[in-house]
Amino acid sequence: MGSLIGNLRGTTFVVIDFEALTPAGRPAEPTEVAALALVVRGGRLVEDGRFASLIRPPSDVPVTARDLAGGMTEAALRSAPPPAEVLAGLERRLTSPPYRLVAQHASTEAGLIARQAPHCPTLGAAPMLDTLRLAKRVLRGLSSYGLDALLRHYGMPPPRGRHRAMPDVEATAEVFRRLLADGARAGHWSTLLDLDVAAGLRPKPAATAAEDLPVQGELFGPGH
């Protein structure tokens, strides 16, 4: 793990999570976002700032009791800033490139970010590492690779406030740290390029393609 951490120096990992409404027949609408920055400092991957905000859904999208978790209220959502404003606010905190986004089941987060890309171009252009995909590489044979299953595997209780954005981000960040360590010990990765390949961000070098078994400064600046 030590050599991997050394090779990750200079990269900022932004662990991100959205909560969202899923109206029938239209794209998901975000209701909350949280992000937590991780950087290498003192030989460890440590937090370097965080951001969280509720997000106002469109007025014509209903909010049901199932959509309200951990003390969230419809009144608070209806008075929150719109997604373009929130994502632009997060974008302004991005001050320490290069970045890798980190998310659990990252396609959901990627789709929500893509819809707001004009307001957060740096965020929208950052490559994304999926902890689900990394876990499939490292933890063979689990019956599930959802966040709750990964927490159980590592003996971690679900965070208080599970299914709110910041508790889920904190849990994902800890899972990510453990996956990095397990993958490094198993020889799956020792550099950022290795992580990118494992996450599908870059093609596998031809020389090693046959070697793998198949796979089933502060980020946020002042005021964070």
Side-chain angles (χ1 to χ4, degrees), residues 80-173:
E85 182 178 332
V86 172
L87 271 294
L90 175 55
E91 177 81 4
R92 288 193 294 272
R93 309 295 181 94
L94 299 176
T95 59
S96 300
Y99 301 108
R100 290 297 183 275
L101 302 185
V102 179
Q104 172 70 19
H105 199 234
S107 59
T108 300
E109 274 62 38
L112 291 165
I113 291 169
R115 292 188 62 206
Q116 300 299 327
H119 309 288
C120 53
T122 301
L123 193 70
M128 185 174 285
L129 304 173
D130 190 342
T131 49
L132 186 151
R133 182 164 182 153
L134 297 179
K136 286 185 175 182
R137 181 70 177 271
V138 175
L139 308 174
R140 306 284 177 143
L142 295 187
S143 59
S144 170
Y145 290 89
L147 182 57
D148 289 322
L150 296 178
L151 293 174
R152 285 193 300 272
H153 173 82
Y154 284 120
M156 300 165 56
R160 185 176 181 181
R162 176 78 172 95
H163 300 299
R164 290 295 302 271
M166 185 54 76
D168 285 4
V169 156
E170 291 172 338
T172 301

Side-chain angles (χ1 to χ4, degrees), residues 3 30-31 48 56 62 73 79 82 120 129 149 164-165 189 195 212:
S3 61
T31 56
D48 193 47
R56 184 196 313 161
T73 67
S79 62
C120 53
L129 304 173
R164 290 295 302 271
W189 41 69
L195 278 177
D212 296 323

